[in-house]
Short mmCIF file of all heavy atoms in Angstrom, two decimals:
data_model
loop_
_atom_site.label_atom_id
_atom_site.label_comp_id
_atom_site.label_asym_id
_atom_site.label_seq_id
_atom_site.Cartn_x
_atom_site.Cartn_y
_atom_site.Cartn_z
N GLY G 572 18.74 106.84 -12.55
CA GLY G 572 18.26 105.49 -12.61
C GLY G 572 18.58 104.68 -11.38
O GLY G 572 17.87 103.69 -11.09
N VAL G 573 19.62 105.08 -10.60
CA VAL G 573 19.92 104.37 -9.36
C VAL G 573 19.64 105.29 -8.17
O VAL G 573 20.18 105.06 -7.06
CB VAL G 573 21.38 103.92 -9.33
CG1 VAL G 573 21.59 102.79 -10.33
CG2 VAL G 573 22.35 105.06 -9.59
N GLY G 574 18.77 106.24 -8.36
CA GLY G 574 18.31 107.08 -7.24
C GLY G 574 19.24 108.23 -6.84
O GLY G 574 19.06 108.77 -5.74
N LEU G 575 20.21 108.57 -7.70
CA LEU G 575 21.17 109.62 -7.40
C LEU G 575 21.08 110.76 -8.42
O LEU G 575 20.21 110.75 -9.28
CB LEU G 575 22.59 109.02 -7.36
CG LEU G 575 22.81 107.91 -6.31
CD1 LEU G 575 24.08 107.21 -6.57
CD2 LEU G 575 22.78 108.52 -4.91
N ILE G 576 21.97 111.71 -8.35
CA ILE G 576 22.14 112.72 -9.37
C ILE G 576 23.58 112.78 -9.76
O ILE G 576 24.45 112.37 -8.95
CB ILE G 576 21.59 114.11 -8.90
CG1 ILE G 576 22.27 114.56 -7.60
CG2 ILE G 576 20.10 114.10 -8.72
CD1 ILE G 576 23.44 115.43 -7.82
N PRO G 577 23.90 113.26 -10.93
CA PRO G 577 25.32 113.40 -11.34
C PRO G 577 26.01 114.42 -10.42
O PRO G 577 25.55 115.57 -10.29
CB PRO G 577 25.27 113.92 -12.74
CG PRO G 577 23.86 113.59 -13.24
CD PRO G 577 23.01 113.70 -12.06
N ALA G 578 27.05 113.94 -9.73
CA ALA G 578 27.71 114.82 -8.75
C ALA G 578 29.20 114.95 -8.99
O ALA G 578 29.93 115.42 -8.15
CB ALA G 578 27.51 114.26 -7.33
N GLY G 579 29.68 114.52 -10.20
CA GLY G 579 31.08 114.72 -10.53
C GLY G 579 31.28 115.93 -11.42
O GLY G 579 32.22 116.01 -12.18
N GLY G 580 30.37 116.88 -11.33
CA GLY G 580 30.38 118.08 -12.15
C GLY G 580 29.46 118.00 -13.33
O GLY G 580 29.31 119.00 -14.07
N GLY G 581 28.73 116.90 -13.52
CA GLY G 581 27.86 116.72 -14.69
C GLY G 581 26.68 117.65 -14.59
O GLY G 581 26.35 118.28 -15.61
N THR G 582 26.02 117.74 -13.45
CA THR G 582 24.84 118.64 -13.33
C THR G 582 25.28 120.10 -13.45
O THR G 582 24.63 120.91 -14.13
CB THR G 582 24.16 118.42 -11.98
OG1 THR G 582 23.86 116.99 -11.84
CG2 THR G 582 22.87 119.21 -11.89
N LYS G 583 26.40 120.41 -12.83
CA LYS G 583 26.96 121.78 -12.94
C LYS G 583 27.21 122.12 -14.41
O LYS G 583 26.85 123.19 -14.88
CB LYS G 583 28.26 121.85 -12.14
CG LYS G 583 29.04 123.14 -12.25
CD LYS G 583 30.08 123.14 -13.36
CE LYS G 583 31.12 122.06 -13.20
NZ LYS G 583 32.11 122.10 -14.38
N GLU G 584 27.89 121.17 -15.14
CA GLU G 584 28.30 121.50 -16.49
C GLU G 584 27.12 121.64 -17.42
O GLU G 584 27.06 122.55 -18.29
CB GLU G 584 29.21 120.40 -16.99
CG GLU G 584 29.91 120.71 -18.29
CD GLU G 584 30.82 121.94 -18.26
OE1 GLU G 584 31.28 122.27 -17.14
OE2 GLU G 584 31.07 122.52 -19.31
N MET G 585 26.08 120.78 -17.27
CA MET G 585 24.91 120.86 -18.12
C MET G 585 24.12 122.16 -17.80
O MET G 585 23.53 122.76 -18.70
CB MET G 585 24.03 119.66 -17.90
CG MET G 585 24.65 118.36 -18.43
SD MET G 585 24.85 118.31 -20.22
CE MET G 585 23.17 117.91 -20.73
N THR G 586 24.17 122.61 -16.55
CA THR G 586 23.49 123.87 -16.19
C THR G 586 24.23 125.05 -16.83
O THR G 586 23.58 125.94 -17.41
CB THR G 586 23.46 124.03 -14.64
OG1 THR G 586 22.77 122.91 -14.10
CG2 THR G 586 22.76 125.31 -14.24
N ALA G 587 25.55 125.02 -16.71
CA ALA G 587 26.33 126.15 -17.31
C ALA G 587 26.17 126.15 -18.83
O ALA G 587 26.07 127.25 -19.45
CB ALA G 587 27.78 125.99 -16.89
N ARG G 588 26.21 124.97 -19.44
CA ARG G 588 26.05 124.93 -20.91
C ARG G 588 24.69 125.43 -21.35
O ARG G 588 24.54 126.11 -22.36
CB ARG G 588 26.22 123.50 -21.42
CG ARG G 588 27.67 122.98 -21.35
CD ARG G 588 27.79 121.64 -22.06
NE ARG G 588 29.12 121.16 -22.05
CZ ARG G 588 29.55 120.12 -22.77
NH1 ARG G 588 28.75 119.46 -23.55
NH2 ARG G 588 30.84 119.72 -22.67
N ALA G 589 23.65 125.11 -20.58
CA ALA G 589 22.31 125.57 -20.89
C ALA G 589 22.28 127.11 -20.96
O ALA G 589 21.69 127.72 -21.84
CB ALA G 589 21.29 125.05 -19.91
N ALA G 590 22.92 127.73 -19.96
CA ALA G 590 22.96 129.20 -19.95
C ALA G 590 23.72 129.75 -21.18
O ALA G 590 23.32 130.75 -21.77
CB ALA G 590 23.67 129.70 -18.68
N ASP G 591 24.78 129.04 -21.55
CA ASP G 591 25.54 129.49 -22.73
C ASP G 591 24.80 129.32 -24.04
O ASP G 591 25.09 129.96 -25.04
CB ASP G 591 26.86 128.68 -22.85
CG ASP G 591 27.81 128.94 -21.68
OD1 ASP G 591 27.65 129.99 -21.01
OD2 ASP G 591 28.71 128.11 -21.43
N GLN G 592 23.77 128.43 -24.07
CA GLN G 592 23.06 128.12 -25.29
C GLN G 592 22.00 129.13 -25.60
O GLN G 592 21.39 129.06 -26.69
CB GLN G 592 22.44 126.71 -25.19
CG GLN G 592 23.47 125.59 -25.28
CD GLN G 592 22.88 124.26 -24.82
OE1 GLN G 592 21.72 124.15 -24.52
NE2 GLN G 592 23.75 123.26 -24.80
N ARG G 593 21.68 130.06 -24.70
CA ARG G 593 20.62 131.04 -25.00
C ARG G 593 21.00 131.91 -26.14
O ARG G 593 22.18 132.36 -26.27
CB ARG G 593 20.38 131.91 -23.77
CG ARG G 593 19.71 131.26 -22.60
CD ARG G 593 19.59 132.23 -21.47
NE ARG G 593 20.95 132.65 -21.02
CZ ARG G 593 21.21 133.66 -20.16
NH1 ARG G 593 20.15 134.37 -19.72
NH2 ARG G 593 22.41 133.96 -19.82
N PRO G 594 20.09 132.19 -27.06
CA PRO G 594 20.39 133.13 -28.15
C PRO G 594 20.73 134.49 -27.57
O PRO G 594 20.29 134.85 -26.48
CB PRO G 594 19.07 133.19 -28.94
CG PRO G 594 18.35 131.93 -28.57
CD PRO G 594 18.73 131.63 -27.18
#
Side-chain angles (χ1 to χ4, degrees):
V573 291
L575 299 167
I576 55 96
T582 307
K583 174 271 300 178
E584 190 63 23
M585 293 294 281
T586 302
R588 286 188 180 192
D591 294 340
Q592 289 166 1
R593 288 176 301 168

